Amino acid sequence: MTSYIAIDWGSTNLRAWHYQTGVCIDERRSEAGVTRLGDRTPAEVFTSITAGWPVNDVPVVMAGMVGSNAGWLSVPYLSCPVALGEIASRLTRVEDKAWIVPGLSVERADNCNVMRGEETQLLGAVELQPAPLYVMPGTHAKWVQMEQDRVLDFRTVMTGELHHLLLKQSLIGAGLPEQQENAAAFREGVQVGSNDASILSRLFEVRASHVLGARDRRHISDFLSGLLIGHEVALMTQQANATSQPITIIAGSALAQRYQQALQFIGMDSVTLEGDRAFQHGIRSIANVLAN
């Protein structure tokens, strides 16, 4: 088994793992994402997070926003359609210290999209949980159409960010008390969101419903979450011409459960794959290629 160092370096956080003969022997976390470096350079943060690790003796593979134009080095995207097996041969070396995984892009008249970090999860997912359609929920959810190990197309839906902005910086959330989880409110939101061709006209109703006392003011966050996720799931499965084959959800358990409920509501089967597991499996496959 290969010994290597894996780094998931995003916008706001950084995580690093040291693997020795395939077993993780140390894990470190930092809030020094590429947008939070302060007065330190990426090289300085790298030296700090890997202190004491054999960076000169084993492959060091980094994925995520570290390869963006706001990161350590701007690494070119691989254009889709593309076979995920090509990733390991298209890495970029940075300051003779580590390898950065390229992101993926789509550039057509009807779709311009990019991803960084998710491609590494996909690399693991195609082996662990193959599917023709993946959804990767989060701040900017990715919907990825596959043909075996080839990424044919993908789209990004800003559901997570939109939920945050509407709740925290718009009239919808103004004056609300501390929010409480409520499964029934989420389900109601899913029902409304998945049945509307457009939810623009529904958004102000979220505020009106709690102003008029028609909806519990403590459960607005979950209703809004259901509204947005329900609409996203209905729209994206339709656009992707989703078949009867299960959709793979790559996410942590709480978020995956929400998407699973929304998919179930519209009659779609799904399976879940934990995001960290997919990422680690993908990084390992790259490190194995580098070591050979």
Side-chain angles (χ1 to χ4, degrees):
M1 295 292 289
T2 303
S3 296
Y4 60 95
I5 293 167
I7 298 178
D8 182 5
W9 201 337
S11 298
T12 56
N13 293 285
L14 183 161
R15 296 182 299 166
W17 300 265
H18 178 201
Y19 279 83
Q20 196 169 84
T21 58
V23 178
C24 181
I25 62 170
D26 197 7
E27 176 182 349
R28 297 173 183 173
R29 296 171 181 262
S30 168
E31 293 185 353
V34 297
T35 62
R36 295 180 175 178
L37 297 177
D39 59 356
R40 293 189 293 175
T41 66
E44 289 170 339
V45 172
F46 175 87
T47 299
S48 174
I49 201 73
T50 60
W53 289 357
V55 293
N56 297 319
D57 303 319
V58 301
V60 182
V61 185
M62 304 191 297
M65 291 298 287
V66 64
S68 72
N69 57 7
W72 193 344
L73 184 70
S74 184
V75 174
Y77 293 102
L78 300 185
S79 296
C80 294
V82 64
L84 290 169
E86 292 185 27
I87 288 177
S89 63
R90 303 284 294 275
L91 308 177
T92 297
R93 189 73 166 158
V94 56
E95 295 188 20
D96 202 31
K97 297 178 183 289
W99 297 96
I100 299 179
V101 178
L104 304 184
S105 67
V106 174
E107 189 173 357
R108 300 194 311 269
D110 68 330
N111 185 16
C112 280
N113 256 291
V114 294
M115 69 165 66
R116 286 200 188 274
E118 293 93 348
E119 75 294 318
T120 306
Q121 290 183 320
L122 285 171
L123 188 57
V126 293
E127 294 186 19
L128 296 170
Q129 200 69 65
L133 182 62
Y134 290 92
V135 56
M136 311 169 84
T139 305
H140 300 151
K142 304 289 183 184
W143 288 79
V144 186
Q145 292 180 262
M146 302 287 299
E147 186 176 77
Q148 297 178 333
D149 75 330
R150 286 177 62 79
V151 180
L152 300 180
D153 196 14
F154 66 90
R155 291 185 182 273
T156 305
V157 189
M158 297 172 65
T159 301
E161 182 173 1
L162 187 57
H163 179 270
H164 176 80
L165 291 173
L166 289 172
L167 202 62
K168 301 298 183 182
Q169 298 184 36
S170 84
L171 201 59
I172 288 175
L176 287 178
E178 183 177 349
Q179 294 295 285
Q180 299 175 1
E181 288 192 19
N182 186 272
F186 177 78
R187 287 194 299 270
E188 290 171 16
V190 167
Q191 183 175 3
V192 174
S194 61
N195 283 314
D196 266 357
S198 171
I199 58 169
L200 287 177
S201 63
R202 292 288 191 176
L203 293 177
F204 188 79
E205 291 179 24
V206 179
R207 170 170 169 78
S209 67
H210 71 75
V211 168
L212 296 173
R215 189 169 300 284
D216 194 317
R217 299 171 71 244
R218 300 168 298 173
H219 304 154
I220 296 304
S221 177
D222 269 4
F223 178 78
L224 179 61
S225 174
L227 183 74
L228 295 173
I229 291 174
H231 183 67
E232 173 194 342
V233 162
L235 178 67
M236 298 310 293
T237 52
Q238 182 181 24
Q239 286 189 0
N241 295 315
T243 65
S244 58
Q245 289 182 264
I247 295 168
T248 294
I249 305 168
I250 305 175
S253 58
L255 198 50
Q257 188 178 42
R258 292 192 170 221
Y259 275 74
Q260 200 156 31
Q261 286 181 44
L263 285 164
Q264 187 176 23
F265 182 80
I266 62 169
M268 301 294 298
D269 291 328
S270 62
V271 293
T272 62
L273 175 61
E274 210 280 323
D276 271 356
R277 184 176 174 223
F279 179 85
Q280 293 296 346
H281 200 86
I283 283 283
R284 181 181 294 117
S285 68
I286 296 171
N288 285 337
V289 172
L290 289 175
N292 293 330

